[in-house]
Each structure stands twice: as structure tokens, then as C-alpha cells.
Amino acid sequence: MRLSYPTNIKIIQVPCTGKVDVLYLLKSFQRGADGVYVAGCLEGNCHYLTGNLRARKRVEYIKKILDEIGIGGERLEMYNMSAAQGPRFVEIANEMTERIKKLGPNPIKLAASTKSEEGAQKGKEECFV
Amino acid sequence: MIIGKGKSIKDILAMIENHSKIIVAGCRGCVTVCAAGGEKEVGILSAALSLAREKDGKPITIKEVTLERQCDSEYLESIRSFVDEYEAVVSIACGAGVQFMAEKFRKIPLYPGIDTNFIGVTEAQGVWTERCQACGDCKLHITGGICPISRCAKSLFNGPCGGSAKGKCEINPEVDCGWQLIYDRLKELGKLDQLEIIIPINDWSNSRDGGPRKIIREDLTL
């Protein structure tokens, strides 16, 4: 298909989204990711039965924490798609990139740049697949 | 086990507002099992606190430690060598652990990171319910192994009351009537005659009376 998706997305492969620990999500933001999304298999299609359902619950939990601390829960999202849905993968990558662009950089980078005048760092998103 | 629940991160941030170097201390005992204060929760809380502080342009150094137990002196000693290097400790152990740590390390401010709720069980993964109120005078042998103090909303000893309907308590249709549970269990055991035992007024002097309770086992003291 040779579809292209935004270059700012860094893909981190995991055996199943059930492997995505809540700490992975928080640490991504700590390390400067502007947004993170988890791309799991379609609900009902998990090879390990409930891995993607568990991932969704963890994402929801961390969204609440991000809202509470002012980073913003909308910077984190859970999506479901099958390995055969290349166009959908691209659509989501674009959708998430647009959303994060509107939100701007990770607030911790803004705080750091106003202090040290390093300037805004390059936009970065992480995607757990 | 003792069941607790994490305090809101905003509350904890307010507690540590004036500190820039803290310890977040977990406990591998009860609070690990109820997912409120174990090693994992230490990591989550530390990451969240540090993210929030970085966002506000006031970065914080956090040392993450998880003690075997915070309710025993020997395990608390494990942090003595470095505790003075920090400005405060946020303990996510139960109330007993937080207090014992405060007693042992008198010069460092100690903040609770969780609320300690009750003595209970893991009913299902992620679901904990109360079973015991530590009244100090157990009656479970008479009531079929179901505690009327913790399971009955009125803590009645000779129930049920008129608020029991279809096995549920009047306080909430989702709460089982403790005395219905006792009746059902005694019936299963073929011991319904035990319901005729009149349980006398409880000896509350073993409970919240006379200040903090103490147990001394002479055979074990050194």
C-alpha cells in the first residue's frame, strides 16, 4: 500500500497492548512525548483474549492522572484497529498528530524552555502497537 | 489485610509544595496487595508528582523506596542511612506505617499519600470489601463466620432489623443484609438453633475505649 504517516510518530512495539504498563505511559510524558496513543487490536480479537481491554482501562486511568496534574488527558488515547487496516492506521496517526499539534508541546518542555531559553523541542509522539 | 486508597495527587502536591527533594516510600505489606502503596504505586505517584512539578517549572528530586513493612522498626531502619539527605517523606503505607515512620525519623516531615480505609478482603481483582472492625471481642463462632459488627450497617448483635428486605440492607440495595448472610450460612451448616443464642451487649472496652490499644506477650518480649 505504501501509505505514509507523520514522521513525528515513534512506534514502540509490544507483544500485546496488554503489556503496556501504566508506568510506560507516564514515563513517555516524563521523557518529553507530546502525546501518546496505544494502538491495540480490535476489541474481541485479542490473541490473549483481554490484553487490549486491559490496555484501555489503563489508558483511562492515566488520562485521569494527566488531567489532574494539568498535562491533559487528551494527550493520551487508546485506539483499536486490526493489522490489516493500514489506511485506518494512517488515519489515526494523522488524527492524533492534528490533535497534539492543536494542544501544543508537552507542558513540561514549555516550562523547561521558558527557564533555560532552549526553545521548543521538536514535536514527538509515541505510539504503542 | 488493611485496605487503603491513594489520596488525590493534587492533595499530595499541596503537601510537598515547599520541598524539592523527597522520598516516596511504599510498603510491601497490605497496601501492596490492595494496590494502594506498593512498589508499582510508588512508581506511578513519583512519576505523576515529578511530571506535575516539572510542568510548573519547579522540578523535584524523588527517591523511590519500598520497604518490606513500615510497621516494623527493623525495616524502617533500612532508610536511616540516607533519609537525612531529603527534605520530606511521602509514605504510602497505611496509617500505622506512616505514624511509625514519623516516630522513628523525628526530624523529617512525613506526609500520608493514601487514606487508610478498613480491614478487608480482595473480593475480586480490583474489588476490596470490609470484613472486620477490630472490635477486640470476636463473635464469629456464634454467627456462622460472618461478622455482625462489620457486615450489618447497625452492627446489631441480635438482628436482623426491619430494614432487611429480599436479603438486602435498607441503606443501599446493593449491600447484603449481614443478618440474612448469617441466617443463610447457619442454615447451610444446619445450625439455625444458634440464632436462639442471645448475644449479650458487647464489651466495647476492647474496642475504641481507653485510648490506643496494646497487646503485650510476656513470652515474646525481650
Side-chain angles (χ1 to χ4, degrees):
Chain A
M1 258 183 268
R2 297 194 182 278
L3 299 168
S4 61
Y5 61 93
T7 53
N8 51 289
I9 292 174
K10 176 178 166 52
I11 292 182
I12 297 166
Q13 290 184 325
V14 284
C16 166
T17 49
K19 178 72 184 81
V20 179
D21 192 283
V22 288
L23 275 173
Y24 295 1
L25 304 173
L26 279 174
K27 288 198 187 291
S28 302
F29 287 102
Q30 257 186 307
R31 289 177 189 176
D34 300 318
V36 177
Y37 66 98
V38 179
C41 297
L42 292 170
E43 290 191 0
N45 278 3
C46 176
H47 180 72
Y48 304 101
L49 307 178
T50 55
N52 51 359
L53 303 178
R54 288 181 177 193
R56 178 171 291 279
K57 284 186 178 180
R58 290 174 196 156
V59 165
E60 294 302 325
Y61 172 55
I62 297 301
K63 271 163 101 65
K64 278 186 202 152
I65 291 184
L66 292 174
D67 273 333
E68 200 180 344
I69 61 177
I71 299 288
E74 64 273 41
R75 290 182 182 276
L76 174 63
E77 204 52 77
M78 173 82 201
Y79 290 102
N80 296 94
M81 70 202 79
S82 89
Q85 288 179 305
R88 177 73 183 134
F89 177 85
V90 172
E91 199 179 306
I92 287 165
N94 286 323
E95 184 184 309
M96 196 64 187
T97 302
E98 281 311 306
R99 183 198 293 194
I100 302 302
K101 271 186 183 161
K102 271 183 201 154
L103 291 168
N106 182 335
I108 69 165
K109 288 194 289 196
L110 286 176
S113 64
T114 50
K115 242 185 173 181
S116 62
E117 291 181 312
E118 276 174 8
Q121 294 173 35
K122 199 183 160 200
K124 191 175 97 179
E125 279 172 52
E126 293 192 357
C127 164
F128 290 95
V129 179
Chain B
M1 84 190 115
I2 293 169
I3 312 292
K5 191 168 179 274
K7 278 186 178 290
S8 86
I9 291 166
K10 270 187 184 158
D11 288 349
I12 301 172
L13 281 167
M15 291 180 207
I16 59 163
E17 200 182 358
N18 299 319
H19 301 296
S20 57
K21 202 176 175 195
I22 64 161
I23 295 174
V24 172
C27 175
R28 288 191 213 280
C30 313
V31 290
T32 288
V33 186
C34 68
E39 197 168 353
K40 175 57 110 7
E41 291 72 33
V42 166
I44 296 169
L45 178 60
S46 303
L49 292 177
S50 129
L51 257 175
R53 288 288 294 261
E54 263 189 78
K55 179 196 65 102
D56 295 338
K58 293 189 291 179
I60 188 167
T61 306
I62 300 179
K63 179 163 179 76
E64 300 177 22
V65 292
T66 307
L67 280 59
E68 198 58 36
R69 282 195 296 276
Q70 291 192 24
C71 53
D72 275 313
S73 312
E74 51 266 56
Y75 299 119
L76 286 173
E77 286 306 313
S78 65
I79 66 164
R80 190 172 294 281
S81 61
F82 57 83
V83 74
D84 290 339
E85 296 163 27
Y86 294 85
E87 296 166 16
V89 180
V90 173
S91 165
I92 52 173
C94 70
V98 176
Q99 290 184 61
F100 211 30
M101 189 178 274
E103 271 174 62
K104 298 291 173 193
F105 305 110
R106 308 192 70 87
K107 288 179 185 166
I108 189 163
L110 221 112
Y111 306 115
I114 69 167
D115 291 317
T116 306
N117 300 104
F118 51 81
I119 302 176
V121 297
T122 311
E123 210 164 88
Q125 187 167 326
V127 181
W128 296 277
T129 50
E130 184 167 15
R131 287 293 185 278
C132 175
Q133 291 191 2
C135 74
D137 191 7
C138 197
K139 302 281 191 297
L140 289 170
H141 57 298
I142 308 173
T143 57
I146 291 153
C147 172
I149 292 184
S150 55
R151 306 296 294 278
C152 166
K154 291 177 177 169
S155 296
L156 289 180
F157 266 177
N158 298 285
C161 72
S164 175
K166 294 178 184 169
K168 300 293 176 186
C169 175
E170 65 183 342
I171 60 155
N172 182 336
E174 286 178 14
V175 174
D176 289 325
C177 164
W179 274 96
Q180 181 72 51
L181 296 174
I182 292 170
Y183 176 86
D184 292 344
R185 172 97 165 108
L186 289 175
K187 196 175 176 186
E188 279 171 34
L189 293 171
K191 288 183 174 177
L192 275 177
D193 53 313
Q194 279 189 210
L195 284 174
E196 289 175 19
I197 301 171
I198 304 294
I199 307 176
I201 293 167
N202 198 33
D203 179 4
W204 291 105
S205 69
N206 296 311
S207 184
R208 296 302 309 147
D209 176 80
R213 291 173 271 179
K214 190 173 193 172
I215 293 172
I216 301 175
R217 280 270 305 270
E218 294 295 350
D219 56 322
L220 294 175
T221 53
L222 297 172

